[in-house]
Amino acid sequence: MTYVGASIPGRNNRRSAAGAATYVDDIRPDGCLVMAVVRSPHAHARIRSVDTSAGHDLDGVALVLTGEELRDAGIAIHPSGTNVNFTPRTAVRHVLAVDKVRYVGEPVAAVVARDYVTARAAAQAVLVAYETLPALGDARAALKPGAVLVEESWPDNVMVDYPIARGDADAVLAATPPSGRTSGTLVCNRVAATPLEGRGIIADYNPYDETMTCWASTQAPHVLRALLSAALSFPEGNLRVIQPQVGGAFGGKIPMFPEDVITAYASRRLGRPVKWIEQRDEYLSAGGHSRDMRCDYEVAFEPDGRITALKAGLLADVGAQSTFLGWLMAIVSAACMPGSYVVDHVSIRLRAVVSNRGPWQAYRGYGKEVAAFFMERILDDVARAAGLGRDAVRTRNFISPSHFPFVQPSGWVTDSGDYQGTLEAVQELIGWDDFPARQAAARADGRYLGIGIGHELTPEGSSRPDALLNGTDSATVKMTPRGDVTVLTGVTSPGSGNETGIAQIVAECLGADLDRVRVLQGDTQSAPHGNGNYSSRSLTFGGSSARLAALVIREKLEIVAGRMLNADRADLEVTGHRIRSRASGQSVTFDEVAAEIYRKPHGRHMAGIDPALEATRAFKIDNVYHRKDEDGRYNQYPTWSFSTGACIVEVTPETGDVRIEKFALVHDCGVVVNPLLAEAQLHGAIMQGIGASLYEEIVYDDDAIPQTPTLREYTLPGIRESVDIVLGHRSTPSPFTFMGMKGVGESGISAPGPAIASAIDDALADFGVRMTTMPFTPARVWAAIQTARSAGRGE
Amino acid sequence: MPASFAAPRTLPELLTELDGEATILAGGMTIMPLLNRGIGRAGKIVSLSGIPALRGIARSGDSVRFGAMATHSEIASDPIVAEHVPILATAAAGIGDVQVRNRGTIGGVAAYGNAGADYVTALTALGARVVVASRRGSREVAFDRFVLGLRRTDLARDEVIVAVEVPSTSGGRTAFERYFRVQGAAPTITAAAVLMPDRGRLAVGGATPTPVIVELGREFDLAATLDAVDEACAGRPFGDAHNPAPYRRAMARNFAARVLRHAREEQPC
């Protein structure tokens, strides 16, 4: 039976579709109290006083916490971890604001009460006196000389200044005639992942045995346990974190949040369970955003489209810093340029700047989508300036398959790929060659159709040095006395169904019947240590770890079965939960071998054999360099999936409305374990990519006040906005993983932005419109057309 | 936590509850999200759901009378509405999603008067009247005088909307246009045209705090009408993060043109 490569429906489908899954808010421990958070209404203000008395006095209120109490109790998050290539400015983080608030939504105080309504009322009764300070509405304001400081211990608002250089871009640009140069500015919008289920945690401290159990809608229970233990100075071994069903995460639930620490602290103080469930408006202001980056670029190119030099200034508005680690996405954006393309002379300077916007939190794409938007728009600009086809310019500059592993100017090592392969395949799928005739016919009819392409590089398996989110994971495989298989993994599922893929890998490697393999995840008490779910690594790391453990069990089963069958191991065939001697044709089932091992440990087939039918193994991936080597290699991404997207859009010039007629994506994530689940991931990622391209933007005004506080303003695409998606698969296996898997969880989120921009430009070629700022809202497209018209372009 | 919750069964009972402190709960599609976010007074909630007199859609002379609790779903599918004020059915069918349409009410929309809201524009063009009651008595207000500004209406804290009366457009030509970005979000622009044999009116919502109104004669000049819309928008700009005022102003003109064109092409019903 071959399970790997089979489209097996996700094991979580039935309970999710039935509404029978248990999410964190469905868990109701006896005597559970509820926490509400008092949040800053100001973008930047000094806290003069916090008067909690009116909150305390309400009936049903158990506790009111302030930043001062937590600080005095020694609760603070200290900078940790080391970074290679750059040094970020850091500061101690308080989970409840001390002295001042730095963004709208920052936690200032917390109230614990018998129910949510009481907690909410008490939170409203807490009186905070603020003295407002000038607020920095964005990164450019934060960079101005004399700008107010968000972090008062820093000399300015720059958190990271990270230069990347290869060759001499300035010299090449200076030596290139104007006809061989182009430049521009690109802006990527601030967005929020917005999972259906918000954040949430229950902490239950037991004062009698001094243990604490937390149920959290998190991506990484073990990591949360370690971080909570450090934050609270609570013994890690006495702390248990359980991840119930998670209703979507997309990076947005990588630990740790201030509310996690506050909830756990409150439970310990009260000796009672305390629950915090995020409200949607809390999420949109304080749950963490991403992207929000601009790029000023200059490129030099040859007449044939070959790019000879790239100079880019990247400015990331990472917002005010909290306990989140989202700011690292800015590093990924910079380090993934030029990405899929060979450019000999590169000069990139990233400045990540703090402002009074909200902090960043990881989101699917993790900065790679920003790099893809910038690079693909630059490639389109070169095509326009050189008078070449958009596809031809990509073909001219792609890293060729023979040049892998390829060292990026950042030192990151791209493992393998065939970018021309996905480009050609997607052109075929979208009907690239036939389109110009269709476009011309539609144009004659007064309709504006356009076609566009966008290539994305999606490095996966993020393995940071000196961090718990690193290049390994572990799994346990065990067999019961009656022959059933249980797999416990350190990776978790955010609802994506990776447990199904892991079960397929284990069944395949063990020779087991898939129906008898059960995968359990998300409980620090039972699962071996692991980093949870992020960076599309659940199969490459979790599946590979489970495979190693399964092979240990298989070896033991084979030895004992061989003795039972009087056969050599080499003669055995293992499939369908049965071990058969090819020579004799006789066989034993796994059930019989398990019974032999468990029931007759002193029997004649067990001499010299440790009777444990349980193994834990950790897969440590190759192609990770945590010390810069002599070739400049420093690499935290072992595998590099990629895709090329293409789309056809129709633009209505009177309104600026953009409708996607068809979206095609050909992806390459190496070997696919479960095509059905891989496609489900791609469909979701593409829709999120389309959402950020056309509909979604977290907007702040000049005073850093959120303008999109609810889902009425933060407009997410719904079913009406969903589009016809056509997928194609290719496979260039990674040389560094089991079977060549690369990871597929993020693929597809980056290509829509540049592909849609490219298609809009194409549709509006008469006007010479170039979409440079995401999202491409009707108002922006319309404004671009007006600008073109007033410059005399278009009809 | 609300200090009190009342669900009266009759109109007189309701009016005794309306003491100026009460927050009225109709379908809850506007007030509940606000209360959930801690906005508005939650001390005393009075629900309209138990009062049969506030329900129903019926002919009333040359008008159609909508009980304040008539839901969008009812209005979208009612045969009387389809015959006498079809654009109101069109407007109702475009609101939110099916869950919202099943709960949201015409009275609730009228009470908040959101800029660009489908009914606000349609009722303005239709020349609707709002029937309002309180302990002090009842009164009728023309809808275009009832909506005073952005989310501001001529409804006192002790008053409740009982019904909305809409003149039949039978024998006239009407059209309604809705321009929106994402299903479920507030529309960017709504436009309604009512061309009767003896009178005509255009209303455009979404570019100004309250709908732009242009009265139209038997014959009207399209360009001049659009210029009038444009001028009105320029004087009272309204915009937000995704749809800034200049864009809304341009779209007001666009959709005014569309809705007038569609109305002219309509067969008189």
Side-chain angles (χ1 to χ4, degrees):
Chain A
M1 186 72 198
T2 304
Y3 293 117
V4 169
S7 282
I8 290 163
R11 291 180 162 195
N12 58 336
N13 290 358
R14 280 160 52 99
R15 68 166 185 266
S16 301
T22 302
Y23 298 91
V24 65
D25 198 21
D26 296 323
I27 296 164
R28 313 252 154 110
D30 280 349
C32 191
L33 300 168
V34 174
M35 187 175 90
V37 178
V38 179
R39 294 179 185 276
S40 170
H42 300 294
H44 201 189
R46 254 179 237 300
I47 300 172
R48 283 300 171 212
S49 63
V50 181
D51 179 356
T52 61
S53 53
H56 271 301
D57 292 348
L58 282 180
D59 186 36
V61 172
L63 181 66
V64 184
L65 292 172
T66 63
E68 271 185 18
E69 169 171 347
L70 265 62
R71 180 196 59 196
D72 294 348
I75 308 291
I77 313 299
H78 295 275
S80 72
T82 51
N83 295 286
V84 179
N85 291 335
F86 63 92
T87 306
R89 290 212 183 99
T90 58
V92 172
R93 301 292 165 210
H94 298 288
V95 294
L96 288 173
V98 173
D99 298 333
K100 78 170 188 174
V101 289
R102 301 154 305 133
Y103 62 96
V104 171
E106 181 166 4
V108 175
V111 177
V112 180
R114 67 179 167 221
D115 54 38
Y116 180 71
V117 174
T118 308
R120 181 76 180 237
Q124 284 172 345
V126 171
L127 298 175
V128 185
Y130 294 101
E131 178 190 327
T132 57
L133 295 166
L136 299 170
D138 64 21
R140 282 185 293 173
L143 276 184
K144 282 192 179 133
V148 64
L149 293 175
V150 178
E151 298 292 337
E152 287 169 14
S153 62
W154 298 2
D156 56 36
N157 290 309
V158 179
M159 183 174 178
V160 178
D161 194 334
Y162 171 30
I164 296 170
R166 170 174 285 172
D168 190 343
D170 281 321
V172 174
L173 280 160
T176 305
S179 61
R181 296 198 306 256
T182 185
S183 62
T185 297
L186 301 162
V187 180
C188 213
N189 46 331
R190 180 174 274 246
V191 296
T194 331
L196 274 179
E197 182 207 26
R199 299 176 293 154
I201 186 169
I202 300 168
D204 185 3
Y205 175 66
N206 180 329
Y208 305 106
D209 54 14
E210 296 178 339
T211 59
M212 178 137 54
T213 302
C214 295
W215 292 264
S217 185
T218 182
Q219 289 175 244
H222 283 95
V223 177
L224 179 55
R225 180 175 71 163
L227 296 175
L228 268 181
S229 163
L232 297 168
S233 304
F234 191 89
E236 196 172 0
N238 292 16
L239 189 53
R240 176 185 183 188
V241 177
I242 302 169
Q243 177 216 53
Q245 172 102 358
V246 170
F250 311 110
K253 292 173 182 174
I254 293 176
M256 176 178 66
F257 300 114
E259 294 87 351
D260 297 331
V261 181
I262 306 166
T263 308
Y265 177 87
S267 176
R268 189 170 59 169
R269 253 205 65 180
L270 294 166
R272 289 180 65 177
V274 176
K275 175 188 277 191
W276 174 71
I277 299 294
E278 181 178 58
Q279 305 296 308
R280 187 63 71 183
D281 56 345
E282 293 183 285
Y283 173 73
L284 286 171
S285 66
H289 307 142
S290 72
R291 304 187 185 183
D292 203 351
M293 220 160 148
R294 60 187 285 133
C295 169
D296 293 295
Y297 68 88
E298 271 181 89
V299 280
F301 56 89
E302 299 280 330
D304 66 357
R306 190 172 68 87
I307 297 173
T308 51
L310 166 68
K311 184 175 183 183
L314 306 179
L315 181 59
D317 187 332
V318 296
Q321 293 307 293
S322 177
T323 62
F324 312 15
L325 286 177
W327 61 270
L328 281 160
M329 290 185 283
I331 303 298
V332 176
S333 297
C336 284
M337 289 174 72
S340 307
Y341 306 102
V342 181
V343 181
D344 290 338
H345 300 275
V346 174
S347 169
I348 292 166
R349 182 186 179 195
L350 163 72
R351 282 175 301 168
V353 173
V354 294
S355 74
N356 295 113
R357 296 183 170 204
W360 282 16
Q361 165 68 6
Y363 177 29
R364 195 178 206 170
Y366 206 77
K368 305 151 205 169
E369 74 296 329
V370 175
F373 178 65
F374 292 165
M375 283 313 302
E376 294 304 296
R377 288 275 70 195
I378 290 169
L379 268 281
D380 276 4
D381 191 15
V382 169
R384 182 196 54 82
L388 298 166
R390 289 168 289 174
D391 51 346
V393 168
R394 285 168 174 80
T395 302
R396 191 75 190 81
N397 289 285
F398 276 146
I399 305 166
S400 77
S402 58
H403 283 154
F404 293 103
F406 180 85
V407 182
Q408 298 280 341
S410 57
W412 293 12
V413 185
T414 306
D415 64 331
S416 61
D418 176 8
Y419 305 148
Q420 186 65 23
T422 51
L423 171 63
E424 286 174 12
V426 85
Q427 287 182 296
E428 181 73 33
L429 271 187
I430 199 79
W432 184 266
D433 292 338
D434 302 334
F435 183 74
R438 243 198 93 197
Q439 183 179 38
R443 188 67 194 80
D445 239 10
R447 295 171 59 202
Y448 290 79
L449 302 189
I451 195 166
I453 39 174
H455 184 78
E456 68 170 52
L457 200 49
T458 321
E460 299 297 14
S462 178
S463 307
R464 297 195 53 240
D466 191 21
L468 282 178
L469 304 176
N470 57 33
T472 184
D473 218 287
S474 57
T476 299
V477 174
K478 51 190 181 182
M479 186 171 278
T480 65
R482 289 168 59 81
D484 285 345
V485 180
T486 305
V487 185
L488 293 148
T489 72
V491 299
T492 58
S493 171
S496 59
N498 65 47
E499 64 271 38
T500 310
I502 292 168
Q504 287 172 256
I505 291 172
V506 168
E508 177 97 19
C509 297
L510 192 56
D513 178 348
L514 182 64
D515 289 340
R516 297 189 62 186
V517 178
R518 185 147 184 258
V519 177
L520 300 173
Q521 302 171 305
D523 184 346
T524 57
Q525 188 155 293
S526 54
H529 178 82
N531 306 336
N533 162 258
Y534 69 96
S535 203
S536 308
R537 58 192 281 289
S538 296
L539 294 192
T540 47
F541 289 71
S544 298
S545 302
R547 168 182 170 263
L548 293 176
L551 293 179
V552 175
I553 303 300
R554 176 164 170 159
E555 181 181 10
K556 194 168 286 181
L557 294 175
E558 285 184 6
I559 291 170
V560 175
R563 291 176 185 180
M564 291 167 76
L565 295 167
N566 203 15
D568 284 344
R569 271 186 73 194
D571 172 45
L572 299 176
E573 189 180 85
V574 187
T575 182
H577 236 68
R578 182 178 287 275
I579 304 175
R580 182 175 153 272
S581 161
R582 288 190 194 88
S584 71
Q586 288 188 312
S587 66
V588 284
T589 62
F590 278 15
D591 313 38
E592 289 164 334
V593 182
E596 190 75 20
I597 293 171
Y598 274 100
R599 298 169 71 98
K600 303 173 185 170
H602 299 283
R604 63 196 176 102
H605 299 316
M606 287 293 289
I609 292 180
D610 165 1
L613 267 184
E614 178 168 337
T616 299
R617 287 293 180 274
F619 174 70
K620 182 175 149 185
I621 203 162
D622 206 349
N623 197 34
V624 170
Y625 300 84
H626 278 176
R627 284 158 301 173
K628 217 165 183 170
D629 74 2
E630 60 277 10
D631 298 321
R633 281 184 297 199
Y634 155 75
N635 190 31
Q636 68 183 55
Y637 282 105
T639 64
W640 296 59
S641 299
F642 55 95
S643 315
T644 314
C647 67
I648 295 172
V649 305
E650 176 162 4
V651 183
T652 309
E654 300 84 68
T655 58
D657 200 40
V658 176
R659 191 180 60 84
I660 299 173
E661 180 186 287
K662 181 178 178 182
F663 195 98
L665 184 93
V666 176
H667 77 104
D668 188 331
C669 61
V671 169
V672 176
V673 173
N674 184 323
L676 186 68
L677 292 179
E679 291 199 358
Q681 288 297 304
L682 291 164
H683 275 266
I686 290 167
M687 270 317 295
Q688 286 185 314
I690 290 172
S693 304
L694 295 179
Y695 307 108
E696 300 174 40
E697 184 173 21
I698 295 281
V699 181
Y700 284 88
D701 71 7
D702 291 344
D703 298 317
I705 303 299
Q707 303 296 301
T708 45
T710 77
L711 291 181
R712 275 181 79 78
E713 298 86 20
Y714 189 74
T715 39
L716 290 165
I719 194 68
R720 174 191 162 273
E721 288 74 39
S722 70
V723 303
D724 182 15
I725 293 170
V726 187
L727 295 174
H729 305 268
R730 286 179 57 84
S731 176
T732 48
S734 167
F736 303 111
T737 63
F738 165 59
M739 296 187 316
M741 294 184 288
K742 290 181 176 177
V744 73
E746 297 184 285
S747 294
I749 200 164
S750 309
I756 293 167
S758 186
I760 296 170
D761 287 5
D762 185 46
L764 300 176
D766 290 1
F767 298 95
V769 159
R770 287 158 68 198
M771 298 312 300
T772 54
T773 297
M774 290 177 77
F776 320 116
T777 58
R780 281 203 178 108
V781 175
W782 176 83
I785 293 169
Q786 302 318 304
T787 305
R789 279 191 170 135
S790 56
R793 298 195 300 271
E795 357 105 68
Chain B
M1 181 159 306
S4 75
F5 178 87
R9 309 286 307 174
T10 66
L11 202 53
E13 273 176 48
L14 167 66
L15 297 182
T16 62
E17 295 285 354
L18 301 183
D19 54 3
E21 294 302 314
T23 294
I24 295 172
L25 177 64
M29 296 296 91
T30 301
I31 191 67
M32 287 312 298
L34 292 176
L35 293 180
N36 282 341
R37 290 167 61 201
I39 300 168
R41 301 192 219 180
K44 177 177 181 182
I45 306 284
V46 177
S47 168
L48 307 187
S49 61
I51 307 171
L54 294 180
R55 299 204 166 270
I57 299 166
R59 286 293 305 278
S60 162
D62 285 340
S63 292
V64 180
R65 183 184 168 94
F66 296 84
M69 289 293 282
T71 66
H72 311 326
S73 293
E74 289 163 1
I75 293 170
S77 59
D78 189 282
I80 298 172
V81 182
E83 190 187 339
H84 291 279
V85 266
I87 60 167
L88 208 55
T90 309
I95 298 172
D97 49 38
V98 71
Q99 290 93 334
V100 167
R101 291 195 292 275
N102 281 341
R103 286 205 62 86
T105 65
I106 190 168
V109 174
Y112 284 94
N114 281 334
D118 302 76
Y119 287 154
V120 171
T121 303
L123 294 174
T124 300
L126 288 162
R129 297 178 300 276
V130 185
V131 183
V132 170
S134 70
R135 293 182 207 173
R136 295 174 285 135
S138 69
R139 63 192 177 102
E140 255 187 57
V141 197
F143 191 77
D144 54 28
R145 285 204 297 276
F146 181 74
V147 180
L148 299 174
L150 192 58
R151 286 178 208 142
R152 213 152 50 76
T153 57
D154 176 24
L155 188 68
R157 285 223 45 113
D158 65 344
E159 286 182 318
V160 62
I161 296 174
V162 176
V164 178
E165 297 211 347
V166 184
S168 169
T169 55
S170 198
R173 291 172 297 175
T174 59
F176 181 80
E177 285 280 332
R178 170 181 227 266
Y179 178 56
F180 64 107
R181 289 183 59 229
V182 175
Q183 181 68 46
T188 308
I189 291 288
T190 46
V194 176
L195 306 179
M196 301 303 291
D198 57 337
R199 64 191 156 85
R201 188 181 247 198
L202 166 74
V204 184
T208 46
T210 61
V212 169
I213 300 170
V214 182
E215 306 290 356
L216 306 168
R218 268 182 83 86
E219 300 295 325
F220 60 89
D221 179 63
L222 183 63
T225 306
L226 299 182
D227 287 345
V229 170
D230 195 55
E231 201 175 315
C233 294
R236 297 189 294 147
F238 169 72
D240 61 12
H242 295 310
N243 296 298
Y247 177 69
R248 286 177 183 265
R249 178 180 162 191
M251 292 310 107
R253 189 186 179 102
N254 266 346
F255 284 86
R258 282 192 202 197
V259 82
L260 288 171
R261 204 163 57 232
H262 289 167
R264 278 176 159 172
E265 287 162 3
E266 276 283 303
Q267 291 302 315
C269 60

